[in-house]
Amino acid sequence: MSQQTFPTSLAPEVFVETVQGNLQLKGWDRPEVSVQAQPDDLNIEEQEDILHLSCQGDCTVRLPHGATVQVGRVQGEARFKYLDDALQIDQVAGNLTLRNLAEVQVMSVGGSLNARNIAGDFSAESVSGDASARNIQGRCQLPKVAGNLDVRGVEDSLAAGCSGNARLRLYTLDGESYSLEAGGNLSVEIPPDASVNIKLHSAGESIRLRLAGETKNLTVASHELALGGGGAAMQLKAGGSLSLEAGARVSCGWDAGAD
């Protein structure tokens, strides 16, 4: 593999058109873009602080933290880390890993999704495998996850759905609305001092509530309750059993060193 380097500002625009192999893209503090790939696989066009690239094989890109990045299609797996501006991704055929990023929009993931430490809104329209989202500082939207779903530490509103089992852990309820639907079982933990109106539905007619030190097992399909005088709106639906606990553990905070 060879490496090509292109001087830029600290906030260039980078368009990754297609990558036929795996893609690794990582921000750094240098005013330049570095691309590592097989020479015959790589096509790069550069003009006025804008860079377009395509690669027929695997590709590793280092670029300024402040770069704006748009990605077309990655045929293999993709990893993105350490960007301070918007990231847009159309399609990743394999697994997608996101770490320490700003606002992120993803259209399609063919494998599994693992996102952590997103300092803005985060959305992934379609995920064919399992999905995990942790420490999302803005709104979180995961409407179509084919596998299991694990969400932890969303600081704004949530709208998500999966075909498998789902687990949700919230440490604050600062958003206006929270909606989560699981085709299988659903487990939810919220803060003990939460102020929220909750609608619960279990197709399996099994709802378990652990509130204020008291546990209730309800053999009903639907139930409603208001905690702390009400406030945010929450709707929870499960194809199997549904468990709700008020007493989520305190968040461990921003995982700055997570891989």
Side-chain angles (χ1 to χ4, degrees), residues 173 190-196 226-230 246:
L173 286 174
I190 59 177
D193 59 350
S195 181
V196 57
L227 300 178

Side-chain angles (χ1 to χ4, degrees), residues 229-251:
M234 178 175 289
Q235 183 166 300
L236 306 172
K237 294 183 178 181
S241 63
L242 194 161
S243 172
L244 172 67
E245 178 179 359
R249 291 168 292 176
V250 176
S251 170

